[in-house]
Amino acid sequence: MRPVIRLSRNRAALAAVAPLALVLALAGCSPQDDSTASDTPSSSGGGSSASTTAADACPSGALPTHSAGTLTIGTDNPAYDPWFSDNKPSNGKGYESAVAYAVAKQLGYTADQVTWKTVPFNSAFAPGAKSFDFDINQVSINADRKKTVDFSPGYYDVRQTVIARKGSKIADAHSIADLKDAKLGAQIGTTSLDTITDVVKPSKKPAAFQRNDLAVAALKNGQVDGIVVDLPTAFYITGAEVQDAKVVGQFAAADGTPEQFGLVLDKGGRLTACVSKAVTALRTDGTLAALEKQWLSDAVDAPLLS
């Protein structure tokens, strides 16, 4: 999530730390399930060879996009570090910007054939037709969202974390139980908020913020004891936004299944198979790992809260 980074995500202005997740939506530790996103283009049949069919299904640079010859990619504004850089998704800097352009290249689109469109975080996976070909904004893959949109396979494994001001009552927490009586907050609609309600289950009602920057402001003002964001965002916030804050710890994946960020596409749209194939190829050839190392290298491990 998004991020003031906007503190994650879910999908705060970040600068990066790691720079990076998981926006947005970091994940209420929602189980990751990308079973509906095919790794290969659907076959058109008709007696063609497998290779010819695949090529026809995903013609390089000639997909059935919203604007012919152009790939329209959505993300929120501001676009926070480390997912993006300088709030300019088009500069190719930051993990998600770099991933977006790598996917575009895989699909046969050059950088000057990519158009960015502002899409608020919650609008990306809301029901209805989409104005983008795919959206990238730290949106966690989960079963509920998959009712209204398609997802590509995950392009980033998300870890939710809690950060707090140094010297606060939860700054030295070592377990989830140590957070039970804390006032925690997160961006609304994110898996970060889900983590508070479903995993921590605090005695005090969590604070839900429209944006991560508002959550960060609440942390600075002492309105909350801590906020939950994805790990890259947490390192950005503690390194660049709130100097006297620290990463208290991270949460284990629910039932051992890692939460993942995925590209958001129209439900049942014609691009899902092609975009999914592109993401799978980038993971297989090591591109995603290289980009993560380049842009999120500061997102190191944090203590595990059990």
Side-chain angles (χ1 to χ4, degrees):
M1 143 61 154
R2 260 88 238 290
V4 238
I5 306 181
R6 104 207 172 165
L7 296 186
S8 161
R9 320 307 187 234
N10 283 273
R11 309 189 198 167
L14 308 173
V17 163
L20 274 251
L22 305 230
V23 218
L24 194 320
L26 280 246
C29 296
S30 301
Q32 173 264 333
D33 177 358
D34 57 2
S35 59
T36 61
S38 171
D39 287 349
T40 58
S42 58
S43 171
S44 59
S48 301
S49 67
S51 59
T52 300
T53 299
D56 290 345
C58 302
S60 182
L63 297 175
T65 55
H66 279 77
S67 298
T70 298
L71 192 64
T72 301
I73 304 176
T75 198
D76 206 347
N77 181 30
Y80 299 103
D81 291 275
W83 312 100
F84 298 91
S85 179
D86 301 325
N87 194 25
K88 295 179 179 178
S90 62
N91 64 14
K93 299 179 180 178
Y95 180 70
E96 289 193 327
S97 179
V99 168
Y101 281 107
V103 171
K105 182 178 180 180
Q106 194 74 25
L107 295 173
Y109 293 85
T110 59
D112 61 2
Q113 291 178 302
V114 170
T115 296
W116 288 89
K117 185 178 184 63
T118 297
V119 179
F121 178 75
N122 288 329
S123 298
F125 48 85
K130 304 306 176 191
S131 58
F132 50 78
D133 293 314
F134 69 77
D135 182 272
I136 183 168
N137 189 25
Q138 306 119 64
V139 180
S140 293
I141 301 169
N142 65 37
D144 188 52
R145 291 170 181 165
K146 287 170 71 173
K147 295 175 182 176
T148 57
V149 296
D150 285 347
F151 281 99
S152 72
Y155 62 86
Y156 178 73
D157 293 350
V158 184
R159 288 162 289 174
Q160 295 295 322
T161 62
V162 59
I163 63 175
R165 302 280 293 275
K166 296 176 181 175
S168 76
K169 67 179 185 181
I170 63 169
D172 296 321
H174 298 294
S175 67
I176 293 174
D178 292 336
L179 304 175
K180 292 294 185 183
D181 295 325
K183 180 69 174 180
L184 302 174
Q187 183 176 340
I188 193 170
T190 66
T191 49
S192 299
L193 185 58
D194 291 342
T195 296
I196 298 175
T197 57
D198 299 341
V199 178
V200 180
K201 300 177 181 178
S203 59
K204 298 178 181 178
K205 183 179 180 180
F209 301 94
Q210 288 298 320
R211 304 190 311 273
N212 262 341
D213 56 330
L214 298 177
V216 171
L219 180 66
K220 289 180 177 178
N221 296 333
Q223 296 170 289
V224 294
D225 298 314
I227 59 176
V228 174
V229 296
D230 61 82
L231 185 57
T233 296
F235 277 97
Y236 174 76
I237 293 172
T238 56
E241 302 252 320
V242 188
Q243 300 295 324
D244 66 342
K246 62 176 288 188
V247 177
V248 177
Q250 62 177 303
F251 299 93
D255 66 21
T257 303
E259 174 186 356
Q260 291 184 311
F261 290 157
L263 304 181
V264 182
L265 299 108
D266 256 330
K267 183 69 175 179
R270 292 184 292 174
L271 296 187
T272 298
C274 298
V275 171
S276 296
K277 180 183 178 184
V279 172
T280 297
L282 294 174
R283 181 175 290 280
T284 300
D285 69 12
T287 297
L288 293 182
L291 293 178
E292 184 173 334
K293 182 178 181 181
Q294 178 180 0
W295 297 107
L296 306 178
S297 58
D298 290 336
V300 296
D301 288 339
L304 181 65
L305 299 170
S306 58

